[in-house]
Amino acid sequence: MGGAVLAVVLVAILDWRAALLLAVWLGAWALNAWMAQASVAGARILVPVVFGLTLLTLWELAVRLFEVSPVILPAPSAIALAFAANIPTLWVDFVQTILRGALVGYVLGCGIAFLAALAIDRSAFLQKGLLPVGNFIAALPIVGTAPILVMWYGFGPSSKVAVVVAMVFFPMLVNAVQGMKESDAIQRDLMHTYAANYWQTLLKLRLPTAMPFLFNGLKICSTLALIGAIVAEFFGSPTVGMGFRIKIEVGRLAMDMVWAEITVAALAGSGLYGLMALMERQLTFWHPSHRSVRN
């Protein structure tokens, strides 16, 4: 505690504004450390909430104390005002980009990748031929392939779905193929002694053991889908959509609206990722990693 006070005093000699920011940070840090160590009721939720509020407070103070231009970095309060004033526009963009582009592409891409993993699992030719080609295609830059797909499928939601499918297909495929290999030879031999056919072995052994890999792929792809849908709108879209709005508002230097769109994208991505994590916890409760958390 004495060292922290001394640090604040020393910084205050140089710049009182920096000293104020440091004092707020140290105070919030001490509060968070106390809640975590004292096992306060609801600490699992309170600690990240206080940490997030601390970052927003520091952001607001830094912008106001140092008079940062809103074009460079708008204050959180300005972003909140832009958010509240443009809810109808943000909702229309959300429907166009997230619901009609990202989610549709996410479901299609992950579903096709899972079916392809089942085919690869039964074909040595596909294992040796498709996966290397898939890794090569996955390494292609999205900013190069997105305008091509927009030209092929037009400016509507179809082109955004195609970009999202291209982004999520191979990460999901690699995880699904690896998950299919997770069951060991002894387990498969045991199913063979029970006279289980391929589909019975798949449903009762291989898919359950592959579940952690499948959900790992789904969580990775949840954020890739949003990135793909927004990036695709930079290269052509009707006059609606998050990528279109960001491009237009940057040109108008309305950065508070840009940050409002970014906030919507971050909330949507966090929500989809959290939904996948919750489903993973409910469906793979038997996995050692979850058992150790509960214990």
Side-chain angles (χ1 to χ4, degrees):
M1 179 63 74
V5 174
L6 179 61
V8 173
V9 172
L10 290 176
V11 174
I13 296 174
L14 300 174
D15 192 328
W16 68 270
R17 298 169 297 183
L20 178 59
L21 294 176
L22 181 59
V24 171
W25 171 253
L26 291 175
W29 183 283
L31 177 61
N32 260 334
W34 174 77
M35 287 194 297
Q37 293 177 357
S39 301
V40 177
R44 191 172 180 180
I45 298 176
L46 284 177
V47 170
V49 168
V50 171
F51 187 78
L53 291 176
T54 303
L55 293 180
L56 289 176
T57 303
L58 290 173
W59 180 356
E60 182 80 25
L61 287 175
V63 169
R64 293 185 179 278
L65 292 175
F66 292 97
E67 299 179 349
V68 179
S69 168
V71 176
I72 302 298
L73 183 66
S77 58
I79 298 171
L81 290 175
F83 192 104
N86 295 281
I87 287 179
T89 302
L90 293 171
W91 171 250
V92 172
D93 292 342
F94 173 82
V95 172
Q96 175 72 17
T97 302
I98 305 298
L99 300 185
R100 299 181 66 184
L103 274 185
V104 175
Y106 176 75
V107 173
L108 280 178
C110 293
I112 295 172
F114 177 72
L115 295 177
L118 292 181
I120 290 173
D121 183 57
R122 303 201 67 177
S123 171
F125 165 73
L126 290 177
Q127 289 182 16
K128 295 179 180 178
L130 182 59
L131 284 181
V133 175
N135 291 330
F136 172 77
I137 296 176
L140 296 177
I142 189 62
V143 292
T145 56
I148 297 173
L149 293 172
V150 170
M151 293 300 293
W152 286 357
Y153 295 100
F155 290 168
S158 300
S159 58
K160 286 67 185 177
V161 171
V163 172
V164 174
V165 169
M167 283 198 72
V168 306
F169 178 78
F170 288 104
M172 187 65 202
L173 178 67
V174 170
N175 276 279
V177 170
Q178 186 62 37
M180 294 296 177
K181 300 177 182 176
E182 188 63 9
S183 59
D184 56 38
I186 295 177
Q187 293 171 323
R188 291 193 293 271
D189 288 343
L190 179 62
M191 295 298 292
H192 183 68
T193 59
Y194 291 156
N197 59 30
Y198 172 79
W199 294 106
Q200 288 173 324
T201 304
L202 177 68
L203 292 176
K204 296 182 179 180
L205 173 64
R206 305 187 69 189
L207 274 183
T209 56
M211 292 293 273
F213 288 89
L214 295 177
F215 276 106
N216 188 46
L218 288 172
K219 288 189 291 185
I220 293 172
C221 293
S222 65
T223 53
L224 290 177
L226 298 184
I227 296 171
I230 293 174
V231 169
E233 289 179 346
F234 276 87
F235 298 100
S237 74
T239 57
V240 66
M242 301 175 75
F244 166 80
R245 194 76 55 197
I246 290 173
K247 184 174 66 174
I248 295 300
E249 298 299 340
V250 166
R252 298 172 55 201
L253 298 181
M255 301 309 293
D256 50 353
M257 185 60 182
V258 173
W259 279 92
E261 293 281 1
I262 293 172
T263 302
V264 173
L267 292 174
S270 300
L272 184 56
Y273 186 94
L275 177 62
M276 291 300 111
L278 180 62
M279 291 176 61
E280 179 185 20
R281 183 173 291 276
Q282 295 299 320
L283 296 177
T284 61
F285 57 88
W286 45 268
H287 196 265
S289 61
H290 295 306
R291 287 207 302 267
S292 62
V293 170
R294 292 187 176 189
N295 293 334

